[in-house]
Amino acid sequence: MAAATPSAPVARPSQAAAKVKASRTRQKSFRETGGVSVLGRRDRWSTTAVYGAAHYGKSLFWYGGEVLFAFFLTEVAGLTPAHMAGVLAIGFLISAIFDLQAGRILFRRSAGMRRAAGLQSLGAIFSGVALVGVVATALLPFPMRVGWALTTGVLFRLAFAVYDVSQTSLMANATAEVEARSRVAVTRIFASGLGNLSVAVVVGPLIAAERRGGGGVILIALALIAALIAITTAILLNRRLRGPTDTADLHVQSPLKRSGLGLAALWPLFAMMVLMMLGPSLFQKLEPYFATRAFASSTTGGALIIAAAAGVCCGQPLWLMIFPPSRRIALFTVSALLQAAGAVVFLLAPFDAPIAFIAGAWLFGLGNGGLGMAKWASFSDWASRLPAHRQGLAFAIFSALAKITLALGVLIVAAAIHPGVTPEGLRGFMAAGPVLTSIGMIILARRAAPRETGDTLASETMGASPPRTS
């Protein structure tokens, strides 16, 4: 007698509903992208370039906040370090909460590529308006400044949460292969470096203008320019991604996600985000303060910040050529060692040799850019394995952790810039963060980097056939 074939287990109603929802979101993703990458394609760099331009616009806001917000509030607007820390920390924490809420909305609405593109353009518009309000703080009577800076800062963080989470989620829901996500990550970090470089270029003139009492007016003009760039590029990205899909794409099929991977599997990347937003970010926030205290020339101080930003940009083409996805662990390790080496050079440089400080800052930026590329490429690889309706939530948690860590960072900055601090003390703070972060990144690298390459990252979570349509 033939052995009886065991019957398949009957799914419970909740499981069946989850499977139906996951199936619908996979079909939506497949219809929107044609089953292949829209971003990161070798044969269509123009779309990826538009994404890079939009990320450059967003980076002007991000690095403006990273490098200049604290310096602006204390040195231009005249707030005490304690008030500065309160304004920025509250803004970051509220932004983190809103990041999570935005992720929950994306989770419920199963937002795909086109919806995310629309949300990031709306976020850019409101962020630009709020940013101009923040920098207008310096023009108000002093008793009004703390309240105004807090209110406009919170509004900026709320709008930026929508802008950031929706645009960043495109790394997963507008790509279908590991190689495409690596190209998008390189484009993203290169654009970030350009944004950082653009902000760094104005630091020297801003320091000089503030010494003459005109820093506030310059910052308002710069905020208007940054807002115009960010809004324009975000709208261009929205138009590009919401336009009709090339019909040639519809004949290409690739594996789609299954729903077996949970958010808990992304914990090494979440830990990496905390490390990167604490150590290297401390270096960047303290750069303007160190430049004003250590160097009489505003040009030298500006060159120091420019060098770190230039280092981020310089490495991006090399990382993509030398370290394919299969060598992601090596990229993490080499980049971490370069970042730590740059911090050590910066720490040991003699004050009568500014070129040594500049070299250390450049080396720090080179390693930091490599770590950023590896971190974002790995995270988007893992997030792409999640069910489509959970990808927005994953990126929201990633962004929220960054904001919470930055809130802690501004408290450290407030403690570090007390009136009695010396340039030696400041650079000690600046160097310690990147060195400790590099150690942590090397430890986490094996767990964070995808273990498989190609069109499938793990056969147990990918490999479903394209959905059938009637």
Side-chain angles (χ1 to χ4, degrees):
M1 292 179 61
T5 303
S7 59
V10 178
R12 290 177 294 184
S14 60
Q15 294 175 328
K19 289 181 178 179
V20 169
K21 184 175 184 181
S23 176
R24 288 175 178 172
T25 55
R26 287 197 299 270
Q27 292 181 32
K28 179 178 181 181
S29 174
F30 188 84
R31 286 196 302 269
E32 286 192 338
T33 67
V36 296
S37 294
V38 175
L39 296 177
R41 291 178 56 173
R42 283 184 181 275
D43 60 344
R44 194 174 302 164
W45 272 102
S46 62
T47 302
T48 307
V50 173
Y51 173 84
H55 186 68
Y56 168 76
K58 182 161 69 74
S59 296
L60 293 177
F61 290 173
W62 179 262
Y63 285 107
E66 277 289 280
V67 177
L68 291 180
F69 263 18
F71 182 79
F72 163 75
L73 290 175
T74 56
E75 307 302 309
V76 179
L79 272 62
T80 65
H83 284 152
M84 174 274 293
V87 167
L88 293 184
I90 291 172
F92 278 130
L93 291 175
I94 291 177
S95 181
I97 294 170
F98 201 75
D99 277 350
L100 295 174
Q101 185 60 30
R104 289 172 63 86
I105 293 172
L106 292 174
F107 172 81
R108 289 198 302 266
R109 297 295 297 272
S110 301
M113 177 185 70
R114 291 187 173 92
R115 181 171 175 80
L119 286 173
Q120 61 90 34
S121 63
L122 288 176
I125 293 169
F126 288 107
S127 296
V129 174
L131 178 66
V132 175
V134 171
V135 298
T137 301
L139 303 181
L140 298 176
F142 190 80
M144 297 177 59
R145 291 183 179 180
V146 174
W148 177 265
L150 181 60
T151 302
T152 54
V154 168
L155 291 175
F156 171 75
R157 295 298 177 188
L158 293 178
F160 190 80
V162 176
Y163 187 15
D164 187 27
V165 172
S166 54
Q167 189 183 102
T168 302
S169 69
L170 292 171
M171 294 187 70
N173 60 30
T175 59
E177 315 92 38
V178 175
E179 290 78 7
R181 287 185 284 274
S182 291
R183 295 184 199 111
V184 173
V186 164
T187 304
R188 175 190 178 90
I189 300 302
F190 183 78
S192 294
L194 288 180
N196 194 359
L197 189 61
S198 300
V199 172
V201 165
V202 307
V203 170
L206 179 63
I207 292 173
E210 178 52 29
R211 288 170 177 171
R212 299 191 302 268
V217 176
I218 288 182
L219 266 180
I220 292 176
L222 293 173
L224 287 169
I225 294 171
L228 180 62
I229 293 172
I231 292 170
T232 301
T233 54
I235 291 174
L236 287 175
L237 179 61
N238 180 39
R239 290 173 62 87
R240 177 62 69 97
L241 296 184
R242 293 177 71 90
T245 304
D246 190 336
T247 55
D249 294 345
L250 300 178
H251 300 293
V252 184
Q253 297 179 347
S254 67
L256 298 177
K257 300 95 179 170
R258 290 180 182 171
S259 56
L261 190 69
L263 289 171
L266 277 64
W267 75 263
L269 279 304
F270 292 146
M272 280 189 166
M273 175 59 89
V274 171
L275 289 175
M276 290 290 286
M277 290 298 103
L278 190 60
S281 178
L282 188 63
F283 186 97
Q284 293 167 329
K285 278 190 172 67
L286 289 174
E287 276 182 308
Y289 293 101
F290 178 79
T292 58
R293 288 164 171 77
F295 305 113
S297 170
S298 60
T299 302
T300 303
L304 179 70
I305 301 172
I306 290 171
V312 173
C313 293
C314 289
Q316 294 313 309
L318 295 175
W319 302 139
L320 188 59
M321 291 187 292
I322 299 174
F323 297 100
S326 60
R327 301 189 63 201
R328 192 73 55 71
I329 294 174
L331 174 57
F332 272 120
T333 303
V334 171
S335 299
L337 292 174
L338 287 172
Q339 178 179 260
V344 171
V345 170
F346 190 89
L347 179 64
L348 300 179
F351 281 92
D352 58 354
I355 190 64
F357 284 97
I358 293 172
W362 182 85
L363 197 58
F364 159 81
L366 183 66
N368 184 254
L371 286 174
M373 180 269 177
K375 176 192 70 178
W376 279 106
S378 295
F379 185 80
S380 59
D381 286 340
W382 284 104
S384 69
R385 297 167 57 186
L386 295 170
H389 63 284
R390 294 185 70 97
Q391 289 176 8
L393 183 60
F395 280 99
I397 294 172
F398 207 45
S399 296
L401 286 172
K403 310 294 173 51
I404 293 171
T405 308
L406 289 171
L408 174 62
V410 296
L411 300 179
I412 299 175
V413 169
I417 60 172
H418 60 85
V421 69
T422 63
E424 290 86 350
L426 273 180
R427 72 170 174 175
F429 271 103
M430 294 171 68
V435 170
L436 295 175
T437 294
S438 295
I439 295 171
M441 296 293 280
I442 291 173
I443 293 172
L444 290 169
R446 286 193 174 276
R447 291 184 175 272
R451 293 172 177 79
E452 300 187 28
T453 59
D455 288 343
T456 57
L457 276 175
S459 58
E460 72 275 11
T461 58
M462 296 186 69
S465 300
R468 297 177 180 175
T469 56
S470 56

